[in-house]
Amino acid sequence: MFVEFNYQPVLEDYNKDGSLKIESVLKILENSGNAHSDKAGDSILDRSQKKLAWVLTDWKIKIDEYPKYGDKIVAKTWSQSVTQIFNVSRDFEFYCNGKICITGTTRWVVLDLTTGRPCKIEKDLIAKYEPEDKSVFEEVKLAKIPAVQEFSFEKEIQTRRSDIDFNDHVHNLTYLDYAMEVLPEQVYNAHDFSLLRITYKSPVKAGEKITAKYAFAEDSHIVYIFGGDGELKTQLQFVQ
């Protein structure tokens, strides 16, 4: 099942130069996935109330061109067939005025919110999504984000109440906001990322103080986000 999601951006979705923010790109793709879940009869909120949740583990987004203010935006999404019993992939095509300008993929697990452990993804659940035999990237396994031992800059960030989603964790898109706070000023202001990778290791919970650390490695801007106990929570990679 291919699902198309028409999005009408608002002013806050844009940078000063009129280009769509990368944060808004992810928001639009996420909302297209939610539209697919609703169409499949798998309400995200209903699932959360049953103490089960689709949990995102990875993003890979390739940006060929950023939409500009006034462009027509459509996101297309679909689920792939399950090849492993504990995770599934969702792919995206992002259209600007009818032309593909961004492609992406995500990896998901079903988490038992009571035990905190992944659950086997049942065939009848996947069948609701009517998987498609199509992938936007050739690689089956996503490349790991470069390992970093030494960082050039770090910043402590206090989580806010508004950062927490209906699963009682920091919402997955908020980690990108945290990473933006530690990027060098000239990198942040350039708005020219061609590739974004995010890997979620462990959720940040309400009231937790985190530390975002930055390094430049392997021609990439790398951000690691650590919890108050020093545990690695999320890794992000930005390629210009």
Side-chain angles (χ1 to χ4, degrees), residues 156-182:
E156 283 193 351
I157 301 171
Q158 178 63 54
T159 58
R160 305 168 302 173
R161 291 177 179 176
S162 58
D163 295 340
I164 307 303
D165 64 16
F166 51 84
N167 289 324
D168 295 323
H169 299 152
V170 166
H171 186 62
N172 70 80
L173 300 188
T174 306
Y175 294 90
L176 180 56
D177 295 335
Y178 296 157
M180 290 296 183
E181 291 297 313
V182 77

Side-chain angles (χ1 to χ4, degrees), residues 29-44:
L29 297 182
E30 180 186 62
N31 285 330
S32 72
N34 290 341
H36 188 186
S37 293
D38 290 342
K39 193 169 184 178
D42 183 33
S43 168
I44 302 298

Side-chain angles (χ1 to χ4, degrees), residues 1 13 20 26 30 32 35 37-38 43 74 104 109 114 117 125-126 139 166 171 181 205 210 215 224 226 238:
M1 182 196 305
D13 287 321
L20 194 70
L26 263 63
E30 180 186 62
S32 72
S37 293
D38 290 342
S43 168
V74 177
V109 299
T114 301
R117 294 180 177 274
L125 173 59
I126 294 302
E139 58 185 336
F166 51 84
H171 186 62
E181 291 297 313
K205 298 183 180 180
I210 64 167
Y224 281 16
F226 295 89
F238 303 84

